[in-house]
């Protein structure tokens, strides 16, 4: 992924969309201010901690009470993986996780 594609080889449309998105993201991060970088860092760490805490609670509950139905477990994991309003605006094909019901 870090290397440019070989010359003369047509790119898959999904791959080219992904590469353009990654380049935009890298440019945005390079040209952002210190405050924006700090905010992005804290946001990432907050959602990492949130997901870790929720997944730990789900695992402990499953140990104590047994596994719930697969559908409910999938909803809980989707809720734990939710990353905020910014991700809801992204298309599902680019990694946006749907928001599940609250626990």
């Amino acid at each position: 992924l870090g290397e440019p594609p070989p010359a003369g080889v047509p790119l898959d449309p999904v791959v080219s969309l992904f590469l353009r998105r990654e380049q935009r993201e890298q440019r945005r991060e390079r040209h952002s201010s210190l405050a924006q970088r700090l905010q992005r860092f804290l946001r990432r760490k907050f959602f990492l901690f949130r997901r870790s805490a929720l997944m730990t609670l789900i695992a402990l509950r499953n140990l104590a009470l047994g596994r719930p139905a697969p559908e409910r477990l999938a909803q809980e994991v989707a809720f734990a993986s939710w990353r905020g309003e910014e991700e809801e605006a992204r298309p599902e094909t680019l990694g946006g996780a749907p928001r599940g019901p609250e626990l």
Side-chain angles (χ1 to χ4, degrees):
L1 288 175
E3 300 175 6
V9 177
L11 283 178
D12 184 65
V14 175
V15 172
S16 64
L17 179 66
F18 174 77
L19 290 174
R20 279 196 309 267
R21 180 176 173 259
E22 286 299 311
Q23 288 171 349
R24 255 194 330 266
E25 192 73 22
Q26 287 176 355
R27 270 194 309 270
R28 183 180 69 118
E29 288 182 9
R30 233 180 291 133
H31 299 302
S32 60
S33 68
L34 182 62
Q36 290 171 329
R37 289 180 188 185
L38 180 63
Q39 181 183 12
R40 204 167 30 251
F41 172 78
L42 292 175
R43 181 176 175 83
R44 285 182 187 148
K45 294 303 174 186
F46 168 76
F47 281 108
L48 179 68
F49 178 77
R50 175 189 178 273
R51 184 175 192 278
S52 298
L54 288 172
M55 294 297 275
T56 300
L57 291 173
I58 291 169
L60 291 173
R61 194 237 16 236
N62 290 349
L63 285 173
L65 303 176
R67 267 185 56 185
E71 298 83 24
R72 177 172 171 126
L73 194 57
Q75 288 175 341
E76 291 171 350
V77 169
F79 176 72
S81 299
W82 179 70
R83 294 187 47 127
E85 294 79 26
E86 285 181 11
E87 194 159 303
E88 285 180 354
R90 294 180 189 165
E92 292 292 322
T93 58
L94 294 178
R99 182 177 181 182
E102 296 188 18
L103 296 174

